[in-house]
């Protein structure tokens, strides 16, 4: 199956909705589970989302350079290495931040991070599945707003 061409605007809307819905779902549950305020968890989940976005751009640019330097091809093994490296880097950034922000131990922050990963894995799958199914309506909406034909987006 070939990937549909997506405009920068569509990619932004896809990512923005992904993060807003995730924060709306995750922050209240995490606040309840951690015994923290919705404000504390809302800010933390929003900051983690922003960090993940920035880390994603930095990590992928660096990984691409390493991949090109060593002549790697994107095999399953390289993809696994890529995913583990990304998550490890994100963990190293997020755990100290969460521990400081929530005034909890590094272990508690690690457990929180694992819980967030366990939330985000199925959430990302179902969000993207729903987005793929609703994409024609999103394209039509974007086209009406831009005054362009749906086929051209």
């Amino acid at each position: 199956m070939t990937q549909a061409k997506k405009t920068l605007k569509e990619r932004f809307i896809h990512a923005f909705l992904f993060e807003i819905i995730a924060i709306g779902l995750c922050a209240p549950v995490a606040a309840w589970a951690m015994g923290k305020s919705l404000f504390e968890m809302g800010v933390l989940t929003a900051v983690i989302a922003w960090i993940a976005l920035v880390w994603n751009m930095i990590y992928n640019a660096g990984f691409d350079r390493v991949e090109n330097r060593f002549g790697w091809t994107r095999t399953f093994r390289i993809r696994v290495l890529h995913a583990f490296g990304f998550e490890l880097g994100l963990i190293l950034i997020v755990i100290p931040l969460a521990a400081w922000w929530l005034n909890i131990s590094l272990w508690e922050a690690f457990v929180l991070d694992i819980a967030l990963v366990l939330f985000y894995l199925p959430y990302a799958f179902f969000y993207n599945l729903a987005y793929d199914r609703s994409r024609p309506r999103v394209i039509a909406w974007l086209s009406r707003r831009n005054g362009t034909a749906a086929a051209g987006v």
Side-chain angles (χ1 to χ4, degrees):
M1 181 164 94
T2 57
Q3 181 60 259
K5 286 193 173 195
K6 296 177 180 156
T7 65
L8 183 60
K9 188 174 191 174
E10 182 187 356
R11 288 184 187 281
F12 173 79
I13 289 169
H14 176 267
F16 180 77
L17 289 175
F18 177 88
E19 296 300 346
I20 291 299
I21 294 168
I23 292 166
L25 292 171
C26 193
V29 174
W32 171 78
M34 298 289 295
K36 300 294 181 178
S37 74
L38 183 57
F39 173 78
E40 285 176 299
M41 292 310 295
V43 169
L44 181 63
T45 55
V47 169
I48 290 172
W50 181 80
I51 288 169
L53 175 71
V54 172
W55 173 239
N56 188 305
M57 292 185 296
I58 293 168
Y59 179 78
N60 284 323
F63 194 89
D64 288 348
R65 290 180 115 178
V66 170
E67 189 177 48
N68 289 333
R69 179 157 166 45
F70 292 105
W72 295 346
T73 54
R74 293 189 179 192
T75 62
F76 179 78
R77 196 171 170 183
I78 294 298
R79 278 294 180 196
V80 169
L81 175 69
H82 176 268
F84 274 98
F86 176 81
E87 288 302 327
L88 179 63
L90 193 57
I91 284 170
L92 292 174
I93 297 166
V94 167
I95 289 174
L97 172 70
W100 168 77
W101 178 252
L102 299 174
N103 197 26
I104 59 177
S105 71
L106 289 173
W107 175 253
E108 290 171 306
F110 176 73
V111 171
L112 174 62
D113 191 64
I114 296 301
L116 289 173
V117 169
L118 291 175
F119 162 78
Y120 270 94
L121 286 174
Y123 169 70
F125 175 80
F126 287 112
Y127 173 85
N128 285 302
L129 186 65
Y131 184 85
D132 289 345
R133 291 186 178 167
S134 64
R135 187 173 184 266
R137 288 186 294 265
V138 172
I139 297 302
W141 179 76
L142 287 172
S143 297
R144 282 193 305 274
R145 296 213 45 191
N146 290 339
T148 60
V153 177

